[in-house]
Amino acid sequence: MNRPSFRNWQSVQEEVRRRIHAREWKPGDLIPNESELAQEFGCARTTVNRALRSLAESGVLDRRRKAGTRVAAQPVAKATLDISVIRIEVEERGQKYGYQRIERDAAVPPLAISGAMKTSAQRPLLHIRALHLADDAPYAFEDRWINPDVVPDAMQEPFDSVSANEWLLRHAPYTHGEIAFSATSATPDEAAILGCPASSALFAIDRLTWDGAASVTKVRLLFGPGHQLRTVL
Amino acid sequence: MNRPSFRNWQSVQEEVRRRIHAREWKPGDLIPNESELAQEFGCARTTVNRALRSLAESGVLDRRRKAGTRVAAQPVAKATLDISVIRIEVEERGQKYGYQRIERDAAVPPLAISGAMKTSAQRPLLHIRALHLADDAPYAFEDRWINPDVVPDAMQEPFDSVSANEWLLRHAPYTHGEIAFSATSATPDEAAILGCPASSALFAIDRLTWDGAASVTKVRLLFGPGHQLRTVL
DNA sequence: CAGTGGTCTAGACCACAGG
DNA sequence: CTGTGGTCTAGACCACTGG
């Protein structure tokens, strides 16, 4: 009996993937524990742990202390989206990036905004509206509210050449946030800004970030018709 | 000088996060190497490595051999979306799941489909159209093509009570895939199925999965107006 | 209570890429 | 060529949780 040896965690992972794919281990099955696999594979348990932990993070395995490791019954596809600065996103597409500030002022936000940001209903926030361009064509419309209590420096920034999108990343650290993707119909105003027919289907990204208990900024990004957000599985 | 000690990788990670957030280490800065940090933190280098590697995976740090570890200049937000079976998605919302098959036949697909799936242009594929319901209301419209050369068993399946969405996960392993999110305007046909006004803005998920070099299935999921895909940062 | 995964350690060697 | 992160090892202890 010729047992191949597995010298690194990637090859262990590959072998486990192979067995799952080949249905030697079926969805829901309990697989041998780390010590047994380490012995079989001729490597340290640490190495097996590294491989299995990584597979669990990908949703391929379900691991529970004492209960052991099982092949996930409902493999959950984890799609990881990299949300970077829009300028870089455009440049990576090989296009020329452009930026236009449309509006900048301090204003009392609609209740939906102050409610979500948990700011006082009467408190004026910094409001920025801007257009991001790719090869001189409208790419994304940014509508943003900034909490001046958390980011006072923003009040001094004109945001006329550097986008709030980019400035905040460097000057306003956040601890956590929420993001939502949806589709929305272009209002006449939005259609005019993005240069598309009214009622076009737009791709929207809404993001709200926090620094501890205080909201930092809330932004809605609207992308023109045809925009796709892609990733691999 | 009272130096706190860090006994596990999570606390090391926390401390690194704190330093970045407090701007002790600024975006772009080179931070001490693993050995130095291990000494400072009073733990093994392995433990520091675990903490830093994890932060690098989150996009907080940039690590390169020999060049060292830097605080990411453009922190890329990694949004991880869990794409599971629609039935479970609905049930997790606390709603009753329902399913209706609309159509099932073998047909030669449009060129856009056979092209993307790299199947012969004349080869008939299995075509399924179905509606997923939440609390008896339309939730998502599924339009799917299945490659019978890769999943021959699918030809025996009626898909009248178990959705292709769910059946395939258990019977058709795949090695990799692509997924794209976008917004689209409802065609009259789609509007009728989803019970929404024509030209409504719909949220679309397009997925294409492969088993090695052969495509397994290509599916488009259309969600009714107002649907959001949410996650944390 | 006992079995499983989770983690830490100290030391070692290796692969890569910067200078 | 050399410093950095990447990984492996053997052994140990711990934390959680199922039965």
Side-chain angles (χ1 to χ4, degrees), chain A residues 37-131:
Chain A
L37 288 176
Q39 190 173 1
E40 181 191 346
F41 291 153
C43 65
R45 179 164 82 93
T46 317
T47 305
V48 173
N49 178 279
R50 179 82 157 89
L52 298 190
R53 173 163 42 86
S54 165
L55 285 170
E57 281 168 6
S58 323
V60 173
L61 297 177
D62 263 346
R63 317 196 73 192
R64 285 156 67 192
R65 284 169 154 130
K66 169 77 181 184
T69 301
R70 293 177 179 279
V71 179
Q74 303 289 352
V76 176
K78 310 257 185 188
T80 304
L81 299 170
D82 292 356
I83 315 289
S84 65
V85 177
I86 295 181
R87 175 176 62 76
I88 291 179
E89 193 175 308
V90 169
E91 288 170 355
E92 279 182 352
R93 296 158 63 109
Q95 298 184 292
K96 191 187 71 173
Y97 175 72
Y99 171 77
Q100 284 175 9
R101 189 191 68 187
I102 296 171
E103 187 186 338
R104 176 198 187 284
D105 56 12
V108 173
L111 283 176
I113 302 288
S114 58
M117 292 180 70
K118 292 187 183 154
T119 54
S120 150
Q122 294 79 32
R123 177 75 168 107
L125 306 180
L126 186 58
H127 187 203
I128 313 278
R129 302 207 307 157
L131 184 63

Side-chain angles (χ1 to χ4, degrees), chain B residues 100-118:
Chain B
Q100 284 175 7
R101 189 192 68 186
I102 297 171
E103 186 189 337
R104 177 199 187 282
D105 57 12
V108 174
L111 283 177
I113 301 289
S114 58
M117 293 182 70
K118 291 186 183 157

Side-chain angles (χ1 to χ4, degrees), chain A residues 11-42:
Chain A
S11 67
V12 169
Q13 190 181 63
E14 225 173 274
E15 171 65 8
V16 172
R17 282 205 133 99
R18 188 195 65 72
R19 292 185 185 184
I20 293 172
H21 185 261
R23 292 291 191 267
E24 294 175 25
W25 292 339
K26 303 187 192 63
D29 279 3
L30 190 65
I31 75 174
N33 69 30
E34 296 189 345
S35 307
E36 289 166 346
L37 288 176
Q39 190 173 1
E40 181 191 346
F41 291 153

